[in-house]
Amino acid sequence: LHLPTDFPYSDSTSALPDSTGPPQTDIPKILSLAPETSNIAGGDLLVISGSDFKATASETTVYFGSEVLSGSSNLNIVNETTIEVKSIPSSASGSVEVRVETPQGISNAKTFTYVERVPIAFTSGLILKDIYGPTCIAIGNGNGKIYVGTQTGLILQIEVN
């Protein structure tokens, strides 16, 4: 193989073509989700914070894994940095990736976790009818007890299971 020695060459990178093309702008970006967890029943308010949420609600789609949430009745585009949605129900606990799609493109993903919440059941038929005025609640340190203190100094201990 013989290469010509008079091949035009420049050591300047400015002579090379731009293979990346123009910078992409206005692609939505998710910075955070609040909260990052929700009950599997769904319906909890989720605030998506980020940038370049410049489309209308009817042009925007939010993905919870493979589940799709779209339309102005399901999304509230507060401004270019905030979207409010209600979480979609899930059949099981676990994590999914949340993404935002607008006509400008699809955002990065942020992890959202579904959990099963068990309702609190009281261990006795305690009725808190004698609590008047301001109260204070303290939750025990992992002992399954809630302490309710009243303005008059009465402290009630409630066990939960």
Short mmCIF file of all heavy atoms in Angstrom, two decimals, residues 66-116:
data_model
loop_
_atom_site.label_atom_id
_atom_site.label_comp_id
_atom_site.label_asym_id
_atom_site.label_seq_id
_atom_site.Cartn_x
_atom_site.Cartn_y
_atom_site.Cartn_z
N SER A 66 -43.58 1.70 31.36
CA SER A 66 -44.25 1.59 30.06
C SER A 66 -45.66 2.18 30.07
O SER A 66 -46.31 2.23 29.03
CB SER A 66 -44.30 0.12 29.63
OG SER A 66 -45.06 -0.62 30.58
N GLU A 67 -46.12 2.62 31.23
CA GLU A 67 -47.45 3.22 31.33
C GLU A 67 -47.40 4.68 30.90
O GLU A 67 -46.45 5.41 31.21
CB GLU A 67 -47.98 3.12 32.76
CG GLU A 67 -48.15 1.71 33.25
CD GLU A 67 -49.20 0.93 32.48
OE1 GLU A 67 -50.25 1.52 32.15
OE2 GLU A 67 -48.97 -0.26 32.21
N VAL A 68 -48.43 5.12 30.20
CA VAL A 68 -48.46 6.46 29.61
C VAL A 68 -49.50 7.33 30.28
O VAL A 68 -50.64 6.90 30.51
CB VAL A 68 -48.78 6.35 28.10
CG1 VAL A 68 -48.91 7.73 27.48
CG2 VAL A 68 -47.72 5.53 27.39
N LEU A 69 -49.11 8.54 30.60
CA LEU A 69 -50.03 9.55 31.13
C LEU A 69 -49.94 10.75 30.21
O LEU A 69 -48.86 11.33 30.03
CB LEU A 69 -49.62 9.94 32.56
CG LEU A 69 -50.54 10.88 33.30
CD1 LEU A 69 -51.89 10.22 33.54
CD2 LEU A 69 -49.92 11.24 34.64
N SER A 70 -51.05 11.11 29.58
CA SER A 70 -51.03 12.23 28.65
C SER A 70 -52.36 12.96 28.69
O SER A 70 -53.33 12.48 29.26
CB SER A 70 -50.73 11.76 27.23
OG SER A 70 -51.74 10.88 26.79
N GLY A 71 -52.37 14.13 28.09
CA GLY A 71 -53.60 14.90 27.99
C GLY A 71 -53.72 15.96 29.05
O GLY A 71 -53.20 15.82 30.16
N SER A 72 -54.40 17.02 28.71
CA SER A 72 -54.50 18.17 29.61
C SER A 72 -55.30 17.86 30.87
O SER A 72 -55.15 18.54 31.87
CB SER A 72 -55.09 19.36 28.87
OG SER A 72 -56.35 19.02 28.33
N SER A 73 -56.13 16.81 30.87
CA SER A 73 -56.87 16.48 32.08
C SER A 73 -56.00 15.72 33.09
O SER A 73 -56.35 15.61 34.25
CB SER A 73 -58.11 15.66 31.74
OG SER A 73 -57.75 14.44 31.15
N ASN A 74 -54.87 15.17 32.64
CA ASN A 74 -53.99 14.40 33.51
C ASN A 74 -52.71 15.12 33.90
O ASN A 74 -52.03 14.71 34.83
CB ASN A 74 -53.60 13.09 32.83
CG ASN A 74 -54.78 12.19 32.60
OD1 ASN A 74 -55.61 12.01 33.49
ND2 ASN A 74 -54.90 11.65 31.40
N LEU A 75 -52.35 16.17 33.16
CA LEU A 75 -51.09 16.88 33.39
C LEU A 75 -51.37 18.35 33.65
O LEU A 75 -52.25 18.94 33.05
CB LEU A 75 -50.20 16.81 32.15
CG LEU A 75 -49.85 15.45 31.57
CD1 LEU A 75 -49.18 15.63 30.23
CD2 LEU A 75 -48.93 14.72 32.50
N ASN A 76 -50.57 18.92 34.53
CA ASN A 76 -50.61 20.36 34.74
C ASN A 76 -49.21 20.90 34.51
O ASN A 76 -48.31 20.65 35.32
CB ASN A 76 -51.10 20.70 36.16
CG ASN A 76 -51.12 22.20 36.41
OD1 ASN A 76 -51.24 22.99 35.48
ND2 ASN A 76 -51.02 22.58 37.66
N ILE A 77 -49.02 21.60 33.40
CA ILE A 77 -47.73 22.23 33.12
C ILE A 77 -47.75 23.56 33.87
O ILE A 77 -48.36 24.52 33.42
CB ILE A 77 -47.50 22.46 31.61
CG1 ILE A 77 -47.78 21.19 30.80
CG2 ILE A 77 -46.11 23.01 31.35
CD1 ILE A 77 -46.84 20.06 31.03
N VAL A 78 -47.11 23.60 35.03
CA VAL A 78 -47.12 24.81 35.86
C VAL A 78 -46.31 25.91 35.18
O VAL A 78 -46.75 27.05 35.07
CB VAL A 78 -46.57 24.51 37.27
CG1 VAL A 78 -46.50 25.76 38.11
CG2 VAL A 78 -47.42 23.43 37.94
N ASN A 79 -45.12 25.56 34.72
CA ASN A 79 -44.25 26.48 33.98
C ASN A 79 -43.19 25.64 33.28
O ASN A 79 -43.30 24.42 33.24
CB ASN A 79 -43.65 27.55 34.90
CG ASN A 79 -42.93 26.96 36.10
OD1 ASN A 79 -42.24 25.95 35.98
ND2 ASN A 79 -43.11 27.56 37.27
N GLU A 80 -42.16 26.27 32.74
CA GLU A 80 -41.14 25.55 31.98
C GLU A 80 -40.27 24.65 32.85
O GLU A 80 -39.48 23.87 32.33
CB GLU A 80 -40.26 26.53 31.22
CG GLU A 80 -40.98 27.22 30.09
CD GLU A 80 -40.09 28.14 29.28
OE1 GLU A 80 -38.85 28.15 29.51
OE2 GLU A 80 -40.62 28.84 28.41
N THR A 81 -40.41 24.73 34.18
CA THR A 81 -39.57 23.92 35.07
C THR A 81 -40.37 22.98 35.96
O THR A 81 -39.77 22.23 36.73
CB THR A 81 -38.69 24.82 35.96
OG1 THR A 81 -39.54 25.62 36.79
CG2 THR A 81 -37.78 25.71 35.13
N THR A 82 -41.70 23.02 35.88
CA THR A 82 -42.51 22.21 36.79
C THR A 82 -43.73 21.61 36.09
O THR A 82 -44.47 22.31 35.42
CB THR A 82 -43.01 23.07 37.99
OG1 THR A 82 -41.89 23.70 38.60
CG2 THR A 82 -43.74 22.21 39.01
N ILE A 83 -43.91 20.30 36.29
CA ILE A 83 -45.10 19.58 35.83
C ILE A 83 -45.70 18.88 37.04
O ILE A 83 -44.98 18.27 37.83
CB ILE A 83 -44.76 18.53 34.75
CG1 ILE A 83 -44.16 19.19 33.51
CG2 ILE A 83 -46.00 17.71 34.38
CD1 ILE A 83 -43.69 18.19 32.46
N GLU A 84 -47.01 18.94 37.16
CA GLU A 84 -47.72 18.21 38.21
C GLU A 84 -48.58 17.13 37.56
O GLU A 84 -49.28 17.40 36.58
CB GLU A 84 -48.63 19.15 39.01
CG GLU A 84 -47.88 20.19 39.80
CD GLU A 84 -48.81 21.17 40.50
OE1 GLU A 84 -49.98 21.31 40.07
OE2 GLU A 84 -48.37 21.80 41.47
N VAL A 85 -48.51 15.91 38.11
CA VAL A 85 -49.33 14.80 37.63
C VAL A 85 -49.78 14.00 38.85
O VAL A 85 -49.23 14.13 39.93
CB VAL A 85 -48.56 13.88 36.66
CG1 VAL A 85 -48.10 14.61 35.43
CG2 VAL A 85 -47.39 13.20 37.34
N LYS A 86 -50.77 13.15 38.64
CA LYS A 86 -51.16 12.17 39.66
C LYS A 86 -50.51 10.85 39.27
O LYS A 86 -50.54 10.47 38.09
CB LYS A 86 -52.67 12.02 39.72
CG LYS A 86 -53.36 13.31 40.12
CD LYS A 86 -53.92 13.21 41.48
CE LYS A 86 -54.54 14.56 41.82
NZ LYS A 86 -55.35 14.56 42.93
N SER A 87 -49.91 10.18 40.24
CA SER A 87 -49.24 8.92 39.92
C SER A 87 -50.23 7.90 39.39
O SER A 87 -51.38 7.84 39.81
CB SER A 87 -48.50 8.39 41.15
OG SER A 87 -49.41 8.12 42.20
N ILE A 88 -49.76 7.09 38.46
CA ILE A 88 -50.56 6.04 37.83
C ILE A 88 -50.57 4.83 38.77
O ILE A 88 -49.54 4.50 39.35
CB ILE A 88 -49.94 5.65 36.47
CG1 ILE A 88 -50.01 6.83 35.51
CG2 ILE A 88 -50.63 4.44 35.89
CD1 ILE A 88 -49.33 6.55 34.18
N PRO A 89 -51.69 4.14 38.92
CA PRO A 89 -51.69 2.92 39.74
C PRO A 89 -50.73 1.87 39.18
O PRO A 89 -50.49 1.82 37.99
CB PRO A 89 -53.14 2.42 39.64
CG PRO A 89 -53.94 3.60 39.22
CD PRO A 89 -53.02 4.46 38.39
N SER A 90 -50.21 1.05 40.10
CA SER A 90 -49.30 -0.03 39.71
C SER A 90 -49.84 -1.34 40.27
O SER A 90 -50.43 -1.37 41.35
CB SER A 90 -47.91 0.24 40.25
OG SER A 90 -47.04 -0.83 39.99
N SER A 91 -49.61 -2.41 39.58
CA SER A 91 -50.09 -3.72 40.04
C SER A 91 -49.21 -4.31 41.14
O SER A 91 -49.62 -5.25 41.81
CB SER A 91 -50.18 -4.70 38.87
OG SER A 91 -48.91 -4.86 38.28
N ALA A 92 -48.01 -3.76 41.32
CA ALA A 92 -47.10 -4.30 42.33
C ALA A 92 -46.12 -3.22 42.79
O ALA A 92 -45.91 -2.22 42.10
CB ALA A 92 -46.32 -5.48 41.76
N SER A 93 -45.53 -3.44 43.94
CA SER A 93 -44.51 -2.51 44.41
C SER A 93 -43.24 -2.71 43.59
O SER A 93 -43.02 -3.76 42.99
CB SER A 93 -44.23 -2.71 45.90
OG SER A 93 -43.83 -4.03 46.15
N GLY A 94 -42.42 -1.66 43.53
CA GLY A 94 -41.18 -1.71 42.76
C GLY A 94 -40.90 -0.38 42.11
O GLY A 94 -41.66 0.58 42.25
N SER A 95 -39.80 -0.31 41.40
CA SER A 95 -39.36 0.95 40.79
C SER A 95 -39.65 0.99 39.30
O SER A 95 -39.60 -0.04 38.62
CB SER A 95 -37.86 1.13 41.00
OG SER A 95 -37.58 1.28 42.38
N VAL A 96 -39.95 2.20 38.81
CA VAL A 96 -40.12 2.44 37.39
C VAL A 96 -39.35 3.71 37.05
O VAL A 96 -39.00 4.49 37.92
CB VAL A 96 -41.61 2.62 36.98
CG1 VAL A 96 -42.40 1.36 37.24
CG2 VAL A 96 -42.24 3.81 37.69
N GLU A 97 -39.07 3.89 35.77
CA GLU A 97 -38.40 5.09 35.31
C GLU A 97 -39.46 6.08 34.81
O GLU A 97 -40.33 5.72 34.03
CB GLU A 97 -37.43 4.77 34.16
CG GLU A 97 -36.31 3.83 34.56
CD GLU A 97 -35.36 4.43 35.57
OE1 GLU A 97 -35.03 5.63 35.44
OE2 GLU A 97 -34.94 3.71 36.50
N VAL A 98 -39.37 7.32 35.29
CA VAL A 98 -40.28 8.38 34.85
C VAL A 98 -39.56 9.22 33.81
O VAL A 98 -38.40 9.60 34.01
CB VAL A 98 -40.74 9.26 36.03
CG1 VAL A 98 -41.53 10.47 35.54
CG2 VAL A 98 -41.57 8.44 37.00
N ARG A 99 -40.23 9.48 32.69
CA ARG A 99 -39.69 10.31 31.62
C ARG A 99 -40.76 11.29 31.16
O ARG A 99 -41.95 11.01 31.30
CB ARG A 99 -39.27 9.47 30.42
CG ARG A 99 -38.11 8.54 30.68
CD ARG A 99 -37.77 7.74 29.41
NE ARG A 99 -36.80 6.73 29.65
CZ ARG A 99 -35.48 6.92 29.60
NH1 ARG A 99 -35.00 8.09 29.29
NH2 ARG A 99 -34.65 5.92 29.83
N VAL A 100 -40.32 12.40 30.58
CA VAL A 100 -41.23 13.39 30.01
C VAL A 100 -40.92 13.50 28.52
O VAL A 100 -39.75 13.64 28.13
CB VAL A 100 -41.06 14.77 30.68
CG1 VAL A 100 -41.87 15.83 29.97
CG2 VAL A 100 -41.43 14.70 32.15
N GLU A 101 -41.96 13.45 27.71
CA GLU A 101 -41.79 13.63 26.27
C GLU A 101 -42.57 14.85 25.80
O GLU A 101 -43.73 15.03 26.15
CB GLU A 101 -42.28 12.40 25.51
CG GLU A 101 -42.09 12.52 24.01
CD GLU A 101 -42.53 11.28 23.24
OE1 GLU A 101 -43.19 10.40 23.82
OE2 GLU A 101 -42.22 11.22 22.04
N THR A 102 -41.89 15.69 25.04
CA THR A 102 -42.50 16.84 24.39
C THR A 102 -42.15 16.75 22.90
O THR A 102 -41.37 15.89 22.51
CB THR A 102 -41.96 18.17 24.97
OG1 THR A 102 -40.59 18.30 24.61
CG2 THR A 102 -42.14 18.25 26.48
N PRO A 103 -42.69 17.64 22.06
CA PRO A 103 -42.29 17.61 20.66
C PRO A 103 -40.79 17.80 20.44
O PRO A 103 -40.25 17.42 19.41
CB PRO A 103 -43.09 18.76 20.05
CG PRO A 103 -44.30 18.88 20.91
CD PRO A 103 -43.80 18.57 22.29
N GLN A 104 -40.08 18.35 21.44
CA GLN A 104 -38.64 18.57 21.32
C GLN A 104 -37.82 17.31 21.63
O GLN A 104 -36.64 17.27 21.34
CB GLN A 104 -38.19 19.71 22.24
CG GLN A 104 -38.64 21.09 21.80
CD GLN A 104 -40.12 21.34 22.06
OE1 GLN A 104 -40.68 20.86 23.03
NE2 GLN A 104 -40.75 22.08 21.17
N GLY A 105 -38.44 16.30 22.26
CA GLY A 105 -37.70 15.08 22.56
C GLY A 105 -38.14 14.44 23.86
O GLY A 105 -39.09 14.88 24.50
N ILE A 106 -37.39 13.40 24.25
CA ILE A 106 -37.69 12.65 25.47
C ILE A 106 -36.60 12.94 26.50
O ILE A 106 -35.41 12.91 26.18
CB ILE A 106 -37.77 11.14 25.19
CG1 ILE A 106 -38.89 10.86 24.20
CG2 ILE A 106 -38.00 10.37 26.48
CD1 ILE A 106 -39.01 9.41 23.79
N SER A 107 -37.02 13.19 27.72
CA SER A 107 -36.10 13.55 28.79
C SER A 107 -35.28 12.35 29.27
O SER A 107 -35.53 11.20 28.90
CB SER A 107 -36.88 14.10 29.99
OG SER A 107 -37.55 13.04 30.66
N ASN A 108 -34.36 12.65 30.16
CA ASN A 108 -33.66 11.63 30.93
C ASN A 108 -34.67 10.96 31.86
O ASN A 108 -35.79 11.43 32.02
CB ASN A 108 -32.53 12.27 31.75
CG ASN A 108 -33.07 13.33 32.70
OD1 ASN A 108 -33.79 14.25 32.29
ND2 ASN A 108 -32.75 13.21 33.97
N ALA A 109 -34.29 9.87 32.48
CA ALA A 109 -35.17 9.13 33.38
C ALA A 109 -34.80 9.39 34.84
O ALA A 109 -33.63 9.57 35.16
CB ALA A 109 -35.09 7.64 33.10
N LYS A 110 -35.82 9.42 35.68
CA LYS A 110 -35.63 9.46 37.14
C LYS A 110 -36.43 8.30 37.72
O LYS A 110 -37.52 7.98 37.26
CB LYS A 110 -36.13 10.78 37.75
CG LYS A 110 -35.23 11.96 37.48
CD LYS A 110 -33.93 11.82 38.22
CE LYS A 110 -33.04 13.03 37.99
NZ LYS A 110 -31.78 12.93 38.68
N THR A 111 -35.89 7.68 38.76
CA THR A 111 -36.52 6.52 39.37
C THR A 111 -37.64 6.92 40.32
O THR A 111 -37.48 7.81 41.14
CB THR A 111 -35.48 5.68 40.13
OG1 THR A 111 -34.46 5.29 39.20
CG2 THR A 111 -36.10 4.45 40.75
N PHE A 112 -38.78 6.25 40.16
CA PHE A 112 -39.95 6.45 41.00
C PHE A 112 -40.31 5.08 41.56
O PHE A 112 -40.33 4.09 40.83
CB PHE A 112 -41.10 7.01 40.16
CG PHE A 112 -42.34 7.33 40.93
CD1 PHE A 112 -42.40 8.45 41.73
CD2 PHE A 112 -43.45 6.51 40.84
CE1 PHE A 112 -43.55 8.75 42.43
CE2 PHE A 112 -44.61 6.81 41.54
CZ PHE A 112 -44.66 7.94 42.33
N THR A 113 -40.60 5.00 42.86
CA THR A 113 -40.83 3.71 43.51
C THR A 113 -42.25 3.60 44.04
O THR A 113 -42.72 4.50 44.74
CB THR A 113 -39.83 3.51 44.67
OG1 THR A 113 -38.50 3.64 44.16
CG2 THR A 113 -40.00 2.13 45.31
N TYR A 114 -42.90 2.50 43.69
CA TYR A 114 -44.22 2.19 44.23
C TYR A 114 -44.05 1.30 45.46
O TYR A 114 -43.24 0.38 45.46
CB TYR A 114 -45.06 1.43 43.20
CG TYR A 114 -45.60 2.30 42.10
CD1 TYR A 114 -45.00 2.32 40.85
CD2 TYR A 114 -46.73 3.09 42.30
CE1 TYR A 114 -45.50 3.10 39.83
CE2 TYR A 114 -47.24 3.87 41.29
CZ TYR A 114 -46.63 3.88 40.05
OH TYR A 114 -47.12 4.66 39.05
N VAL A 115 -44.82 1.60 46.52
CA VAL A 115 -44.78 0.81 47.74
C VAL A 115 -46.20 0.45 48.15
O VAL A 115 -47.15 1.15 47.80
CB VAL A 115 -44.08 1.56 48.90
CG1 VAL A 115 -42.61 1.80 48.59
CG2 VAL A 115 -44.78 2.87 49.21
N GLU A 116 -46.32 -0.65 48.86
CA GLU A 116 -47.61 -1.02 49.44
C GLU A 116 -47.69 -0.39 50.82
O GLU A 116 -46.80 -0.59 51.63
CB GLU A 116 -47.75 -2.53 49.54
CG GLU A 116 -47.91 -3.20 48.20
CD GLU A 116 -48.26 -4.66 48.33
OE1 GLU A 116 -49.18 -4.98 49.11
OE2 GLU A 116 -47.61 -5.46 47.65
#
